[in-house]
Amino acid sequence: MTETPTHPQARAQFTVPAVHPMVTVLGSSDSLLRVIEKAFPAVDIHVRGNEVSAIGDAADVALIQRLFDEMMLVLRTGLPMTEDAVERSIAMLRATANGTAGELDTETPAEVLTQNILSSRGRTIRPKTLNQKRYVDAIDKHTIVFAIGPAGTGKTYLAMAKAVQALQSKQVNRIILTRPAVEAGERLGFLPGTLFEKIDPYLRPLYDALHDMLDPDSIPRLMAAGTIEVAPLAYMRGRTLNDAFIILDEAQNTSAEQMKMFLTRLGFDSKIVVTGDVTQVDLPGGTKSGLRQVREILDEVEDVHFSLLTSQDVVRHKLVGRIVDAYQQYDDRNGS
């Protein structure tokens, strides 16, 4: 009988500095500890006082040791650890250990979780995943950035946080937020009210994000002054946009011609971020999505960057990520 090979066992012991109460490390009612135990079911984790020990597979134990190191770095900044942050830290460490994180694998969970983009109204907006951090960094480094990924990955929200940050630091003089009105299409004609009132519900998600990031009382004043403009994509035609941070949202619903029109609006000292989900195209049959086509055209163009986000970057309810994966598997099986 052939014996099943066993993985080498290891033991690690970690002392939590006295400055950090154990409840901040283990969570209320040991909620954070349970997340770690669930992620490493074959490892025995014991806590005595401020000592944490782990016994099990050497690779798993090494990851747990790194996890606690990263948690200490986050706690040292004064930020709390949450169940979500622990889960995401484990996912990042595993991706790095497996060599699947991509690029240079230099970012650590603590660097990702503590990078502040914008602080407003008592809350701070920051990336929650490695790909989100790389997306935010790309916006700093490049003039045009495309963010392509499923719903809930923070594509638009993070871009808007960067836009508000750029406006507040006077890197730009105005923010322009736009969406193609294709989704509403001819149905706009059946809605009551003026054109602005008809378009407004379609642009509402952009207003909602603005309200999270700015004093709501200041938004009408900024819009009246032209400092912030929220408008359908058709309003961009024929313009040159200087000193602006421009976001094109729902870009999967642009035609190839609309995408070219929009990108050529770029003026001096401006930045463009284009966001979209190529799996949710609402264009009429036969019309090719400009977002799908543009990567083939601009992939090698200098100062243009493509950030690809996945279900692993979904920051909504956990079920959203599973739904995205299930639809992707269905499409793969059915050749969609």
Side-chain angles (χ1 to χ4, degrees):
M1 188 172 76
T2 305
E3 289 188 12
T4 303
T6 58
H7 293 288
Q9 296 285 292
R11 174 188 175 92
Q13 190 152 327
F14 187 83
T15 302
V16 176
V19 69
H20 300 306
M22 287 303 288
V23 68
T24 65
V25 180
L26 304 180
S28 176
S29 303
D30 291 343
S31 58
L32 303 184
L33 178 60
R34 284 200 298 273
V35 170
I36 300 169
E37 289 174 334
K38 184 178 178 182
F40 299 94
V43 178
D44 291 322
I45 302 173
H46 300 281
V47 180
R48 178 173 292 179
N50 66 336
E51 299 283 340
V52 181
S53 63
I55 304 170
D57 176 76
D60 283 347
V61 168
L63 273 182
I64 292 171
Q65 176 78 52
R66 279 206 62 196
L67 174 64
F68 276 101
D69 288 340
E70 294 295 321
M71 290 172 67
M72 293 306 106
L73 290 171
V74 173
L75 291 171
R76 196 180 298 168
T77 68
L79 295 175
M81 285 301 296
T82 63
E83 292 178 42
D84 183 68
V86 172
E87 288 177 356
R88 295 188 185 282
S89 296
I90 292 169
M92 284 182 244
L93 291 171
R94 278 186 168 148
T96 301
N98 296 334
T100 58
E103 295 185 21
L104 300 177
D105 298 341
T106 55
E107 298 98 333
T108 66
E111 289 173 331
V112 173
L113 297 172
T114 60
Q115 177 174 328
N116 295 345
I117 302 173
L118 184 70
S119 294
S120 174
R121 305 174 66 202
R123 61 191 294 267
T124 300
I125 299 169
R126 55 175 66 90
K128 293 186 176 181
T129 72
L130 185 55
N131 283 338
Q132 284 190 350
K133 180 182 185 298
R134 290 176 175 170
Y135 167 41
V136 168
D137 290 344
I139 292 173
D140 287 331
K141 295 174 187 172
H142 300 276
T143 300
I144 298 178
V145 173
F146 291 85
I148 301 172
T153 49
K155 305 180 298 293
T156 305
Y157 202 78
L158 292 172
M160 291 187 70
K162 291 298 292 181
V164 172
Q165 179 196 51
L167 182 67
Q168 291 179 343
S169 61
K170 296 185 167 46
Q171 296 172 44
V172 297
N173 293 332
R174 56 185 172 148
I175 296 172
I176 298 173
L177 310 171
T178 184
R179 277 181 158 194
V182 169
E183 251 184 45
E186 293 176 356
R187 287 171 293 179
L188 285 175
F190 297 99
L191 293 173
T194 65
L195 176 63
F196 180 80
E197 288 167 339
K198 291 175 183 179
I199 292 291
D200 186 65
Y202 184 63
L203 298 170
R204 176 57 56 187
L206 301 178
Y207 289 111
D208 291 344
L210 275 179
H211 276 258
D212 281 354
M213 299 172 193
L214 291 167
D215 174 8
D217 293 336
S218 72
I219 294 174
R221 176 173 48 80
L222 292 168
M223 293 183 72
T227 305
I228 295 178
E229 179 181 349
V230 185
L233 179 59
Y235 285 39
M236 301 299 113
R237 192 174 297 279
R239 301 170 63 183
T240 300
L241 306 172
N242 296 315
D243 299 303
F245 197 116
I246 312 145
I247 298 173
L248 170 58
D249 190 34
E250 299 288 349
Q252 74 274 7
N253 291 327
T254 59
S255 66
E257 293 78 11
Q258 286 176 318
M259 179 64 76
K260 180 181 177 183
M261 178 277 290
F262 171 75
L263 294 174
T264 53
R265 301 307 93 203
L266 178 69
F268 293 107
D269 300 314
S270 287
K271 192 176 287 285
I272 284 177
V273 179
V274 178
T275 71
D277 177 1
V278 291
T279 69
Q280 295 193 16
V281 176
D282 295 309
L283 289 165
T287 305
K288 186 166 185 176
S289 167
L291 185 61
R292 283 182 176 158
Q293 182 193 61
V294 74
R295 195 173 177 203
E296 302 169 26
I297 298 171
L298 300 183
D299 205 21
E300 301 299 322
V301 175
E302 187 179 353
D303 208 19
V304 174
H305 179 84
F306 288 85
S307 289
L308 304 181
L309 299 158
T310 72
S311 61
Q312 302 304 307
D313 302 300
V314 171
V315 293
R316 293 180 185 168
H317 192 286
K318 292 175 191 173
L319 192 53
V320 175
R322 296 180 199 139
I323 290 170
V324 169
D325 280 340
Y327 269 91
Q328 184 61 55
Q329 289 162 13
Y330 176 84
D331 288 343
D332 292 344
R333 286 195 307 270
N334 292 277
S336 301

